[in-house]
Amino acid sequence: MAKNEEVVRVGDIAPTPLGDLRVVEISDRIAGAYCGKMLVDAGADVIKVEPLEGDPFRRHTVTGALPPVGTDSPLFSYLNAGKRSVTRLSDDLLSHADIVVLTANRGDAASRGIDPQRLLQAAPRCVVVTVSDFGWTGPWAQRPATEFTLQAASGLTGFRGDPAGPPIAIGGELGEYMGGVWAAYGTLALHRRVRTGGPGGHLDMSMLEAVTLMQSSEWLHSQLLRVPPVGRSVEVPSIEQAQDGFVGISMVTGQQWLDFAAMVECPEFTEIPALQFQIGRWDYRDWIRERIGPWMRSRTVEEIVELGQLFRLPLAPLGNGATIPAMDHMAQRGVYVDHPAGFRQPRPPWLMTQAAPAPVRAAPTVGNADDEPPWPPRASAGTTATSVDRPLAGVRIVDFTAFWAGPAATHALAAFGADVIKVESVQRPDGIRYSGGMREDVEDWWEYGWVFHAMNTNKRSVTLDLQSEEGVRLVKELVRNADAVVENFSPRVMDQFGLGADVLLDVNPRLVMMRMPAFGLTGPWRDRVGFAPTMEQIAGLAWVTGLPDGPPVAPRGACDPLAGAHAAFALLAALDFAERTGRGQLVEVPMIETVLNVTAAQTMEYEVFARIMERRGNRGHTAAVQDIYRCAGDDSWVAVCAHTEAQRAALAELSGGSEAGLEQWLASQDAEAAAETLVRKGIPAAVVVSPSLVVDNPQLRHRGFFEKLEHPRTGAGLYPCPPFARPDGVDAWLYRTPPTLGEHNAEVLTDLCGLEQSDLDRLSTDGVIGTRPKGL
């Protein structure tokens, strides 16, 4: 291994990134269990509180198979490996925890005798995170919901699917995992304040807000590009039939479209300007598919994917539970590891050079720790400071990320108080500034990218030409006084700049350098191009999204922010390690492995039960009465999910007990009125809204999920926030508009690198810095 790439071990055991961290998990849903799993993997001691009869997830499967009597389901074993189980909840247990994870709304928490404020009075250094569908406050706080109805209310469902058919929800309970990783990240962020002498607190997390963060802030798209609310569509091309299976295609940039046209031998694709943007291809979908269809069907998946790599195009084979672990890249990288229950599971989605995940251990039997003292006494931690700062105040991050996943990670860090310095160049600005569409009526069109706006609030921007000696020198100066560097280029890029991990860790041995390559720093796919839709296609999400009699449908990039949240968690765990040991390190968070972790049930259940999780449209994979139904009006739909006996009985009263009756009743109803009628009956329901219109949601507005900022170029806009009510010390999540290109060159380079105005003038003349893309 290269320098800084060998895990330092004590005896035969590698240290975990987290030290002595004590967690109580009280959860009845995937989000809480996944939060606990992430903390266990990073080294925490997690005690799970469950009922005497055991957590219902011990019997829950995604394919409908039943685990043998006396054994736990693969999903439960995966989510709860290494935890301890108790069946009694006591004040003593809660008051000695560093972190308490609770999945409950305010009423459910009160019924269990859990009051975060009372707990914090007894244990002011504790961090309590509550995970509920809508958060603890607001008009919808007690509203019934499921993952399915949350997707509809968030706008995540409303822009997916052919307009000739219904909107299509993402399969696989992706939102639950998004909620879990955000809860894990938030607890580590607030716990860092505790470690630096500050108080703990209550993080009130809303699943609706976490799910809304998985859509690409389409309300800003409508505002900034002055376009109507986005309608329903699928990518063109997207998932296409080859000779022997499906090929996933994802093109983000105009150059990729030109290269694709060359690959499929269709030069006519380059003659229509609208086709350079995904949004412009929908009107030409039949024309495009007629031309590429014969070419695709005459070649195998392997041939097309290999040819795509020659053209640097993000093409991928479509994976499912049966095929993913056998893919050569997964096998060579050792992605799948053994679980004591007798199946393989994906390893945690981060690799560190100085620390390692906790070994995979068995899931606990019910109450296996009932007779054990939870934790030994600790020495007094001293008094807690009365001043309350943002949790990550004092952390400085040099940010080389671009597009969506990387900026999503640093967006989360900046909202919690980190000083994030975004590094672009006039030669190569962040491509998401102008991917997806441009304004033609403004001179500074590169400042109107809606995903850029959404994911870059609170950051400072500098431009540095990394192909110049002076640009590289200034980067090293920034790194010298930074806590972390984050980048998501392809693996070879930073080394080509002379800014690889060895170089930067020599400059600053306490640095956390986090790299977010698509497929990892090693393996046969190391240099492949890939975006979030590529990962969704490979890792099984696309396979389980779509109508049963139709092709798989792409989730449309929801795994970008999911990967970003995983990376933010990993960075905080590595910072904890650096501050405790004085050792920095390289941290690798491949996007593909974050997605494999949230689709793990597919591969595990195929191995255990020989069943493949298939597409079921909007019906879901449980016994719930669930679907998306047409209502009165033009293209008006409501999502319904009755998953308990009481809910199904209430639904039968409205519909006469038949599916046809339910369809007939809803077809005569206004969607808003129907949803409210169902909710009053205790049935989870939500209107399927365009993602552009989610700013009108009364719950999101009440909770302050959107904060208004006045951008100097684009005017007032509503920007997304982390999915938590503001904790003490955070009056507003957002305090700075997304930066214009190079906006903070003078501020950053004089304050942090010691430059003077004459230096700035010279660098501007030489093209090392600037505020306009080169050539404009």
Side-chain angles (χ1 to χ4, degrees), residues 163-398:
I168 296 173
I170 300 174
E173 297 186 285
L174 189 62
E176 286 287 322
Y177 292 95
M178 183 67 161
V181 66
W182 263 107
Y185 163 74
T187 59
L188 282 196
L190 200 51
H191 184 67
R192 183 185 183 278
R193 187 171 74 186
V194 173
R195 288 190 293 103
T196 54
H202 174 203
L203 284 171
D204 167 16
M205 199 194 90
S206 158
M207 287 293 296
L208 174 62
E209 293 167 31
V211 172
T212 302
L213 284 168
M214 293 197 295
Q215 61 121 314
S216 50
S217 302
E218 290 295 325
W219 65 91
L220 283 169
H221 180 195
S222 295
Q223 176 208 324
L224 295 169
L225 269 62
R226 296 182 177 176
V227 296
V230 66
R232 193 158 69 257
S233 66
V234 295
E235 282 80 0
V236 180
S238 178
I239 296 170
E240 308 298 334
Q241 183 72 54
Q243 189 180 91
D244 58 346
F246 291 108
V247 174
I249 303 172
S250 305
M251 286 174 288
V252 174
T253 69
Q255 184 60 53
Q256 288 170 345
W257 174 252
L258 299 178
D259 294 338
F260 177 77
M263 186 188 79
V264 298
E265 303 168 18
C266 291
E268 61 270 31
F269 288 175
T270 67
E271 298 168 3
I272 303 173
L275 299 184
Q276 290 198 42
F277 301 110
Q278 178 60 243
I279 199 168
R281 294 176 207 144
W282 178 249
D283 290 340
Y284 294 85
R285 58 193 180 279
D286 294 336
W287 182 77
I288 291 171
R289 286 175 175 145
E290 285 171 3
R291 280 153 181 78
I292 68 172
W295 188 93
M296 300 286 295
R297 288 189 292 271
S298 67
R299 292 164 173 81
T300 65
V301 171
E302 183 177 3
E303 289 169 344
I304 295 170
V305 171
E306 288 184 359
L307 188 58
Q309 300 316 304
L310 297 177
F311 282 87
R312 300 291 296 160
L313 291 172
L315 308 186
L318 222 66
N320 62 36
T323 63
I324 297 165
M327 293 178 179
D328 59 347
H329 184 76
M330 315 309 172
Q332 290 192 34
R333 276 183 58 85
V335 170
Y336 284 85
V337 297
D338 291 334
H339 189 287
F343 54 81
R344 293 172 299 164
Q345 68 175 55
R347 66 189 178 193
W350 47 265
L351 298 169
M352 299 183 184
T353 55
Q354 299 289 307
V360 181
R361 291 157 287 167
T365 56
V366 178
N368 75 328
D370 274 343
D371 298 325
E372 300 174 5
W375 294 292
R378 269 191 182 137
S380 174
T383 60
T384 300
T386 56
S387 62
V388 181
D389 295 323
R390 287 178 181 267
L392 300 184
V395 174
R396 177 168 293 145
I397 297 168
V398 182

Side-chain angles (χ1 to χ4, degrees), residues 412-427:
L413 296 159
F416 274 77
D419 177 18
V420 176
I421 300 171
K422 183 176 179 66
V423 181
E424 301 175 79
S425 68
V426 296
Q427 293 81 8

Side-chain angles (χ1 to χ4, degrees), residues 44-265:
D45 181 10
V46 176
I47 293 180
K48 176 182 180 64
V49 182
E50 57 182 326
L52 284 169
E53 64 274 17
D55 185 336
F57 270 90
R58 289 182 180 272
R59 305 293 295 166
H60 176 80
T61 62
V62 299
T63 59
L66 289 177
V69 175
T71 64
D72 294 322
S73 72
L75 179 60
F76 178 89
S77 298
Y78 169 70
L79 292 173
N80 294 284
K83 299 176 185 177
R84 296 188 282 160
S85 168
V86 300
T87 58
R88 297 185 296 273
L89 180 62
S90 66
D91 288 344
D92 182 62
L93 176 64
L94 292 174
S95 63
H96 286 86
D98 299 309
I99 293 170
V100 174
V101 180
L102 171 65
T103 60
N105 62 28
R106 189 194 297 271
D108 292 338
S111 69
R112 302 196 65 166
I114 303 173
D115 179 351
Q117 294 309 313
R118 182 169 60 86
L119 173 58
L120 289 167
Q121 288 174 1
R125 297 171 62 84
C126 185
V127 174
V128 182
V129 60
T130 55
V131 178
S132 58
D133 290 322
F134 299 106
W136 277 26
T137 60
W140 288 13
Q142 300 296 320
R143 196 178 181 96
T146 66
E147 156 100 9
F148 183 66
T149 62
L150 291 172
Q151 284 195 34
S154 73
L156 198 62
T157 300
F159 73 149
R160 185 181 308 98
D162 192 310
I168 296 173
I170 300 174
E173 297 186 285
L174 189 62
E176 286 287 322
Y177 292 95
M178 183 67 161
V181 66
W182 263 107
Y185 163 74
T187 59
L188 282 196
L190 200 51
H191 184 67
R192 183 185 183 278
R193 187 171 74 186
V194 173
R195 288 190 293 103
T196 54
H202 174 203
L203 284 171
D204 167 16
M205 199 194 90
S206 158
M207 287 293 296
L208 174 62
E209 293 167 31
V211 172
T212 302
L213 284 168
M214 293 197 295
Q215 61 121 314
S216 50
S217 302
E218 290 295 325
W219 65 91
L220 283 169
H221 180 195
S222 295
Q223 176 208 324
L224 295 169
L225 269 62
R226 296 182 177 176
V227 296
V230 66
R232 193 158 69 257
S233 66
V234 295
E235 282 80 0
V236 180
S238 178
I239 296 170
E240 308 298 334
Q241 183 72 54
Q243 189 180 91
D244 58 346
F246 291 108
V247 174
I249 303 172
S250 305
M251 286 174 288
V252 174
T253 69
Q255 184 60 53
Q256 288 170 345
W257 174 252
L258 299 178
D259 294 338
F260 177 77
M263 186 188 79
V264 298
E265 303 168 18

Side-chain angles (χ1 to χ4, degrees), residues 222-226 437-446 448 714:
S222 295
Q223 176 208 324
L224 295 169
L225 269 62
R226 296 182 177 176
M438 298 182 193
R439 285 277 291 272
E440 297 182 354
D441 60 335
V442 292
E443 186 272 340
D444 55 347
W445 47 264
W446 60 89
Y448 288 75
T714 65

Side-chain angles (χ1 to χ4, degrees), residues 449-465:
W450 71 94
V451 178
F452 181 91
H453 270 245
M455 291 293 104
N456 287 283
T457 47
N458 297 345
K459 302 177 187 179
R460 299 193 283 175
S461 168
V462 298
T463 50
L464 291 169
D465 179 7

Side-chain angles (χ1 to χ4, degrees), residues 402-417:
F403 287 93
W404 191 1
T410 51
H411 177 255
L413 296 159
F416 274 77

